[in-house]
Amino acid sequence: MTIIAPSLLAADFMNLGEEIKRLEKAHDIWLHLDIMDGHYVPNLTFGAPVLKEISQYTSHKLDAHFMVTNPEDYLDDFAKLNIHNFTFHWEAVTHQDSFIQKAKKVFPSVGISLNPATPIEVIPEYILEKIDLILIMTVNPGFGGQSFIEGCKNKIDKLAQLRSKHSYSFQIQVDGGIKDSNASELIKLGADNLVAGSYIFGSKEKKYVEQIESLRN
Ligand code: DX5
Ligand code: ZN
């Protein structure tokens, strides 16, 4: 079953509680939380206090996507928040392996995110063997509602082939510009976890569960 990860960045922040409740009946979803520091990316979102409230308001798994310069600085505060998956940007960390070891002690799942311009070959085999998730960004990080970058699709394909060749167990997550018209192709290429913000929360009738299902079909 493909996991769908609605990105709360596109939700109505003035009614966040109601927005999250609208997702409660959905199955196999993660709540995707885009944490931006205004430095690694030119945008600011929310941090630990907001995540703390969200974690008490949902039964779905929390998926924290850190677009920050120093993800190390956030480990202690976020360790207490019942986060299922913690994804950091490979490009933002100098000593990735030691950071992964620290993060693995705290979170059930740890992910690596790659910007559109970063090739998958930057991740060595010994990390591919132990990482839980690889996030292929299909927009430049920082904002919702951008267009999908077609040139990133071959990275999903290559990564899926590498995974099956070596029997790696990481999930392949894709984030940015995902909608019903491209989701099935991404799933065919090997994605098992699709992040979608504006496609889900932009639906006028607010039938989010139906929007989620339409990405799986
Ligand atoms: C962008 C974020 C995404 C964003 C996706 O930097 O990582 O999670 O919310 O939004 P859409 O689905 O609208 O492209
Ligand atoms: Zn994201």
Side-chain angles (χ1 to χ4, degrees):
M1 174 68 70
T2 307
I3 290 172
I4 305 294
S7 167
L8 288 190
L9 187 60
D12 175 2
F13 281 5
M14 295 308 284
N15 295 291
L16 200 49
E18 284 168 37
E19 292 283 75
I20 292 169
K21 285 293 166 214
R22 290 189 180 102
L23 299 168
E24 211 41 43
K25 289 212 173 93
H27 64 90
D28 295 287
I29 69 164
W30 289 4
L31 289 193
H32 186 81
L33 302 152
D34 291 297
I35 294 138
M36 306 186 189
D37 65 353
H39 187 264
Y40 183 68
V41 288
N43 196 7
L44 268 174
T45 53
F46 38 71
V50 174
L51 258 75
K52 189 176 174 202
E53 297 295 321
I54 291 173
S55 71
Q56 290 159 7
Y57 218 76
T58 181
S59 59
H60 295 302
K61 288 180 173 160
L62 301 186
D63 174 28
H65 175 193
F66 279 81
M67 283 156 277
V68 301
T69 304
N70 297 308
E72 295 95 334
D73 295 349
Y74 297 75
L75 280 183
D76 289 348
D77 276 356
F78 284 80
K80 304 161 198 148
L81 301 182
N82 202 22
I83 288 168
H84 174 69
N85 177 68
F86 178 101
T87 292
F88 68 98
H89 270 260
W90 181 265
E91 305 87 349
V93 174
T94 308
H95 302 292
Q96 293 96 354
D97 187 37
S98 62
F99 180 63
I100 290 165
Q101 289 175 36
K102 278 186 212 153
K104 277 214 161 236
K105 288 191 186 131
V106 182
F107 302 103
S109 167
V110 176
I112 293 168
S113 178
L114 298 177
N115 283 327
T118 307
I120 60 164
E121 289 79 9
V122 297
I123 310 176
E125 261 178 42
Y126 75 99
I127 289 184
L128 291 174
E129 276 169 9
K130 65 179 174 187
I131 201 72
D132 301 295
L133 178 147
I134 297 179
L135 165 52
I136 301 291
M137 289 300 300
T138 44
V139 295
N140 291 302
F143 300 94
Q146 302 181 81
S147 303
F148 183 91
I149 300 172
E150 293 290 328
C152 296
K153 279 196 292 211
N154 68 329
K155 285 163 70 177
I156 303 166
D157 188 23
K158 266 200 224 170
L159 196 57
Q161 288 188 35
L162 204 62
R163 177 174 63 179
S164 77
K165 186 174 165 201
H166 297 277
S167 306
Y168 295 139
S169 58
F170 55 78
Q171 285 190 37
I172 300 176
Q173 186 179 52
V174 184
D175 182 5
I178 295 180
K179 36 193 183 216
D180 54 351
S181 56
N182 56 17
S184 63
E185 189 186 0
L186 301 174
I187 294 168
K188 271 188 211 122
L189 286 172
D192 16 53
N193 187 320
L194 301 179
V195 179
S198 47
Y199 176 72
I200 293 173
F201 291 102
S203 92
K204 285 209 182 76
E205 293 169 352
K206 295 196 178 293
K207 291 184 177 164
Y208 300 158
V209 178
E210 284 178 23
Q211 291 295 97
I212 289 166
E213 280 313 313
S214 70
L215 291 173
R216 289 194 177 110
N217 297 325

Short mmCIF file of all heavy atoms in Angstrom, two decimals, residues 99-137:
data_model
loop_
_atom_site.label_atom_id
_atom_site.label_comp_id
_atom_site.label_asym_id
_atom_site.label_seq_id
_atom_site.Cartn_x
_atom_site.Cartn_y
_atom_site.Cartn_z
N PHE A 99 25.69 11.67 12.16
CA PHE A 99 24.38 12.26 12.45
C PHE A 99 23.28 11.19 12.38
O PHE A 99 22.38 11.14 13.23
CB PHE A 99 24.08 13.40 11.48
CG PHE A 99 22.75 14.03 11.73
CD1 PHE A 99 22.48 14.66 12.94
CD2 PHE A 99 21.74 13.95 10.80
CE1 PHE A 99 21.23 15.21 13.21
CE2 PHE A 99 20.49 14.50 11.05
CZ PHE A 99 20.24 15.13 12.25
N ILE A 100 23.36 10.32 11.40
CA ILE A 100 22.35 9.26 11.27
C ILE A 100 22.38 8.36 12.52
O ILE A 100 21.34 7.98 13.06
CB ILE A 100 22.58 8.43 9.98
CG1 ILE A 100 22.24 9.29 8.76
CG2 ILE A 100 21.76 7.14 9.98
CD1 ILE A 100 22.75 8.74 7.43
N GLN A 101 23.58 8.05 12.99
CA GLN A 101 23.68 7.21 14.20
C GLN A 101 22.98 7.87 15.39
O GLN A 101 22.27 7.21 16.14
CB GLN A 101 25.15 6.94 14.53
CG GLN A 101 25.80 5.97 13.54
CD GLN A 101 27.28 5.80 13.82
OE1 GLN A 101 27.71 5.79 14.96
NE2 GLN A 101 28.06 5.68 12.77
N LYS A 102 23.19 9.17 15.54
CA LYS A 102 22.53 9.89 16.65
C LYS A 102 21.01 9.88 16.46
O LYS A 102 20.26 9.62 17.39
CB LYS A 102 23.01 11.35 16.69
CG LYS A 102 24.32 11.54 17.38
CD LYS A 102 24.62 13.05 17.49
CE LYS A 102 26.13 13.25 17.41
NZ LYS A 102 26.53 14.54 16.90
N ALA A 103 20.57 10.20 15.26
CA ALA A 103 19.13 10.31 15.01
C ALA A 103 18.43 8.96 15.17
O ALA A 103 17.30 8.88 15.64
CB ALA A 103 18.90 10.87 13.60
N LYS A 104 19.13 7.88 14.81
CA LYS A 104 18.54 6.54 14.90
C LYS A 104 18.27 6.13 16.34
O LYS A 104 17.41 5.29 16.61
CB LYS A 104 19.44 5.52 14.22
CG LYS A 104 19.24 5.46 12.72
CD LYS A 104 19.46 4.03 12.28
CE LYS A 104 18.87 3.74 10.95
NZ LYS A 104 17.94 2.66 10.92
N LYS A 105 19.01 6.72 17.26
CA LYS A 105 18.77 6.40 18.68
C LYS A 105 17.46 7.03 19.17
O LYS A 105 16.92 6.64 20.19
CB LYS A 105 19.92 6.93 19.54
CG LYS A 105 21.18 6.13 19.36
CD LYS A 105 22.21 6.50 20.41
CE LYS A 105 23.52 5.77 20.10
NZ LYS A 105 24.68 6.64 20.10
N VAL A 106 16.99 8.01 18.44
CA VAL A 106 15.86 8.80 18.91
C VAL A 106 14.56 8.51 18.15
O VAL A 106 13.48 8.52 18.73
CB VAL A 106 16.22 10.31 18.76
CG1 VAL A 106 15.11 11.17 19.29
CG2 VAL A 106 17.53 10.63 19.47
N PHE A 107 14.66 8.27 16.84
CA PHE A 107 13.46 8.14 16.02
C PHE A 107 13.36 6.73 15.42
O PHE A 107 14.38 6.16 15.01
CB PHE A 107 13.47 9.18 14.89
CG PHE A 107 13.57 10.59 15.41
CD1 PHE A 107 14.77 11.28 15.34
CD2 PHE A 107 12.47 11.20 15.99
CE1 PHE A 107 14.88 12.58 15.84
CE2 PHE A 107 12.57 12.50 16.49
CZ PHE A 107 13.77 13.18 16.41
N PRO A 108 12.12 6.20 15.29
CA PRO A 108 11.96 4.86 14.70
C PRO A 108 12.45 4.80 13.25
O PRO A 108 12.90 3.76 12.78
CB PRO A 108 10.46 4.61 14.76
CG PRO A 108 9.90 5.59 15.72
CD PRO A 108 10.86 6.75 15.78
N SER A 109 12.34 5.93 12.54
CA SER A 109 12.72 5.95 11.14
C SER A 109 13.50 7.24 10.86
O SER A 109 13.13 8.31 11.33
CB SER A 109 11.44 5.89 10.28
OG SER A 109 11.72 6.18 8.94
N VAL A 110 14.59 7.09 10.10
CA VAL A 110 15.40 8.26 9.74
C VAL A 110 15.53 8.30 8.22
O VAL A 110 15.80 7.27 7.58
CB VAL A 110 16.80 8.21 10.41
CG1 VAL A 110 17.68 9.37 9.95
CG2 VAL A 110 16.65 8.24 11.94
N GLY A 111 15.34 9.47 7.66
CA GLY A 111 15.39 9.61 6.20
C GLY A 111 16.40 10.65 5.75
O GLY A 111 16.76 11.57 6.49
N ILE A 112 16.85 10.47 4.51
CA ILE A 112 17.76 11.42 3.86
C ILE A 112 16.99 12.06 2.72
O ILE A 112 16.38 11.36 1.90
CB ILE A 112 18.97 10.68 3.26
CG1 ILE A 112 19.85 10.08 4.35
CG2 ILE A 112 19.77 11.60 2.34
CD1 ILE A 112 20.89 9.10 3.79
N SER A 113 17.05 13.39 2.64
CA SER A 113 16.41 14.08 1.52
C SER A 113 17.48 14.58 0.55
O SER A 113 18.53 15.07 0.97
CB SER A 113 15.60 15.26 2.05
OG SER A 113 15.03 15.96 0.98
N LEU A 114 17.20 14.44 -0.73
CA LEU A 114 18.11 14.92 -1.77
C LEU A 114 17.41 16.01 -2.60
O LEU A 114 16.31 15.78 -3.14
CB LEU A 114 18.53 13.78 -2.71
CG LEU A 114 19.31 12.61 -2.09
CD1 LEU A 114 19.57 11.55 -3.16
CD2 LEU A 114 20.61 13.06 -1.44
N ASN A 115 18.05 17.15 -2.70
CA ASN A 115 17.52 18.23 -3.55
C ASN A 115 17.50 17.78 -5.01
O ASN A 115 18.24 16.86 -5.38
CB ASN A 115 18.41 19.47 -3.41
CG ASN A 115 18.14 20.20 -2.11
OD1 ASN A 115 17.02 20.22 -1.63
ND2 ASN A 115 19.18 20.80 -1.55
N PRO A 116 16.71 18.46 -5.84
CA PRO A 116 16.66 18.06 -7.26
C PRO A 116 18.03 17.95 -7.92
O PRO A 116 18.27 17.04 -8.71
CB PRO A 116 15.81 19.17 -7.90
CG PRO A 116 14.93 19.64 -6.80
CD PRO A 116 15.75 19.54 -5.54
N ALA A 117 18.95 18.85 -7.57
CA ALA A 117 20.25 18.86 -8.26
C ALA A 117 21.27 17.89 -7.64
O ALA A 117 22.38 17.79 -8.14
CB ALA A 117 20.82 20.28 -8.25
N THR A 118 20.91 17.19 -6.57
CA THR A 118 21.86 16.27 -5.94
C THR A 118 21.65 14.85 -6.47
O THR A 118 20.55 14.31 -6.36
CB THR A 118 21.65 16.27 -4.39
OG1 THR A 118 21.71 17.61 -3.92
CG2 THR A 118 22.70 15.42 -3.70
N PRO A 119 22.69 14.25 -7.04
CA PRO A 119 22.52 12.89 -7.58
C PRO A 119 22.44 11.84 -6.47
O PRO A 119 22.98 12.06 -5.38
CB PRO A 119 23.79 12.68 -8.42
CG PRO A 119 24.78 13.64 -7.88
CD PRO A 119 24.03 14.80 -7.26
N ILE A 120 21.78 10.73 -6.73
CA ILE A 120 21.63 9.69 -5.69
C ILE A 120 22.99 9.07 -5.35
O ILE A 120 23.17 8.52 -4.27
CB ILE A 120 20.64 8.57 -6.10
CG1 ILE A 120 21.09 7.86 -7.37
CG2 ILE A 120 19.24 9.11 -6.25
CD1 ILE A 120 20.38 6.54 -7.60
N GLU A 121 23.96 9.20 -6.26
CA GLU A 121 25.27 8.57 -6.05
C GLU A 121 26.03 9.17 -4.87
O GLU A 121 27.04 8.61 -4.43
CB GLU A 121 26.13 8.68 -7.31
CG GLU A 121 25.67 7.78 -8.46
CD GLU A 121 24.48 8.33 -9.25
OE1 GLU A 121 24.09 9.50 -9.02
OE2 GLU A 121 23.93 7.57 -10.06
N VAL A 122 25.57 10.31 -4.32
CA VAL A 122 26.28 10.88 -3.17
C VAL A 122 26.15 9.98 -1.93
O VAL A 122 26.96 10.05 -1.01
CB VAL A 122 25.81 12.32 -2.79
CG1 VAL A 122 26.07 13.30 -3.91
CG2 VAL A 122 24.34 12.34 -2.38
N ILE A 123 25.13 9.12 -1.91
CA ILE A 123 24.92 8.29 -0.71
C ILE A 123 25.68 6.98 -0.88
O ILE A 123 25.40 6.20 -1.80
CB ILE A 123 23.43 7.99 -0.48
CG1 ILE A 123 22.61 9.29 -0.52
CG2 ILE A 123 23.22 7.26 0.86
CD1 ILE A 123 21.10 9.08 -0.39
N PRO A 124 26.66 6.71 -0.01
CA PRO A 124 27.43 5.46 -0.17
C PRO A 124 26.63 4.23 0.24
O PRO A 124 25.64 4.33 0.97
CB PRO A 124 28.62 5.67 0.78
CG PRO A 124 28.16 6.66 1.79
CD PRO A 124 27.14 7.52 1.12
N GLU A 125 27.11 3.08 -0.25
CA GLU A 125 26.41 1.82 0.00
C GLU A 125 26.17 1.54 1.48
O GLU A 125 25.11 1.06 1.87
CB GLU A 125 27.24 0.66 -0.56
CG GLU A 125 26.78 0.20 -1.91
CD GLU A 125 27.65 -0.93 -2.46
OE1 GLU A 125 28.01 -1.82 -1.68
OE2 GLU A 125 27.98 -0.85 -3.66
N TYR A 126 27.20 1.82 2.31
CA TYR A 126 27.03 1.45 3.72
C TYR A 126 25.96 2.29 4.41
O TYR A 126 25.46 1.89 5.47
CB TYR A 126 28.38 1.51 4.47
CG TYR A 126 28.89 2.90 4.80
CD1 TYR A 126 28.70 3.43 6.06
CD2 TYR A 126 29.57 3.65 3.84
CE1 TYR A 126 29.18 4.70 6.37
CE2 TYR A 126 30.04 4.90 4.14
CZ TYR A 126 29.84 5.43 5.40
OH TYR A 126 30.29 6.69 5.70
N ILE A 127 25.59 3.40 3.81
CA ILE A 127 24.46 4.16 4.36
C ILE A 127 23.14 3.69 3.73
O ILE A 127 22.13 3.57 4.42
CB ILE A 127 24.69 5.68 4.18
CG1 ILE A 127 25.82 6.09 5.14
CG2 ILE A 127 23.42 6.48 4.46
CD1 ILE A 127 26.15 7.56 5.19
N LEU A 128 23.17 3.36 2.45
CA LEU A 128 21.96 2.82 1.81
C LEU A 128 21.47 1.57 2.53
O LEU A 128 20.28 1.31 2.62
CB LEU A 128 22.24 2.48 0.34
CG LEU A 128 22.49 3.66 -0.60
CD1 LEU A 128 22.89 3.15 -1.99
CD2 LEU A 128 21.27 4.56 -0.72
N GLU A 129 22.44 0.81 3.07
CA GLU A 129 22.09 -0.44 3.78
C GLU A 129 21.29 -0.19 5.05
O GLU A 129 20.54 -1.03 5.49
CB GLU A 129 23.38 -1.16 4.20
CG GLU A 129 23.97 -2.02 3.13
CD GLU A 129 25.38 -2.49 3.50
OE1 GLU A 129 25.80 -2.29 4.65
OE2 GLU A 129 26.04 -3.05 2.59
N LYS A 130 21.53 0.96 5.68
CA LYS A 130 20.92 1.13 7.00
C LYS A 130 19.87 2.24 7.08
O LYS A 130 19.18 2.35 8.09
CB LYS A 130 22.01 1.37 8.05
CG LYS A 130 22.79 2.65 7.88
CD LYS A 130 23.83 2.77 9.00
CE LYS A 130 24.72 3.96 8.79
NZ LYS A 130 25.83 4.02 9.73
N ILE A 131 19.75 3.05 6.04
CA ILE A 131 18.81 4.17 6.14
C ILE A 131 17.37 3.65 5.93
O ILE A 131 17.15 2.66 5.25
CB ILE A 131 19.19 5.29 5.13
CG1 ILE A 131 18.59 6.63 5.55
CG2 ILE A 131 18.78 4.93 3.70
CD1 ILE A 131 19.22 7.25 6.75
N ASP A 132 16.41 4.34 6.55
CA ASP A 132 15.02 3.87 6.48
C ASP A 132 14.24 4.46 5.31
O ASP A 132 13.26 3.86 4.86
CB ASP A 132 14.29 4.24 7.79
CG ASP A 132 14.98 3.65 9.00
OD1 ASP A 132 15.00 2.41 9.09
OD2 ASP A 132 15.54 4.40 9.82
N LEU A 133 14.67 5.64 4.88
CA LEU A 133 13.87 6.32 3.84
C LEU A 133 14.78 7.26 3.05
O LEU A 133 15.69 7.87 3.62
CB LEU A 133 12.75 7.11 4.55
CG LEU A 133 11.79 7.97 3.74
CD1 LEU A 133 10.40 7.96 4.40
CD2 LEU A 133 12.27 9.40 3.59
N ILE A 134 14.52 7.36 1.76
CA ILE A 134 15.19 8.38 0.95
C ILE A 134 14.11 9.22 0.28
O ILE A 134 13.17 8.68 -0.35
CB ILE A 134 16.15 7.76 -0.09
CG1 ILE A 134 17.26 7.01 0.68
CG2 ILE A 134 16.75 8.84 -0.99
CD1 ILE A 134 18.28 6.32 -0.15
N LEU A 135 14.21 10.51 0.50
CA LEU A 135 13.23 11.46 -0.04
C LEU A 135 13.83 12.13 -1.27
O LEU A 135 14.86 12.82 -1.19
CB LEU A 135 12.89 12.50 1.03
CG LEU A 135 12.17 13.78 0.61
CD1 LEU A 135 10.92 13.49 -0.19
CD2 LEU A 135 11.79 14.59 1.85
N ILE A 136 13.21 11.89 -2.40
CA ILE A 136 13.62 12.56 -3.64
C ILE A 136 12.77 13.81 -3.79
O ILE A 136 11.54 13.73 -3.97
CB ILE A 136 13.42 11.62 -4.87
CG1 ILE A 136 14.22 10.31 -4.72
CG2 ILE A 136 13.76 12.33 -6.18
CD1 ILE A 136 15.72 10.47 -4.80
N MET A 137 13.41 14.97 -3.69
CA MET A 137 12.68 16.23 -3.88
C MET A 137 12.45 16.44 -5.37
O MET A 137 13.39 16.36 -6.17
CB MET A 137 13.49 17.42 -3.35
CG MET A 137 13.61 17.51 -1.84
SD MET A 137 12.05 17.66 -0.95
CE MET A 137 11.36 19.17 -1.63
#
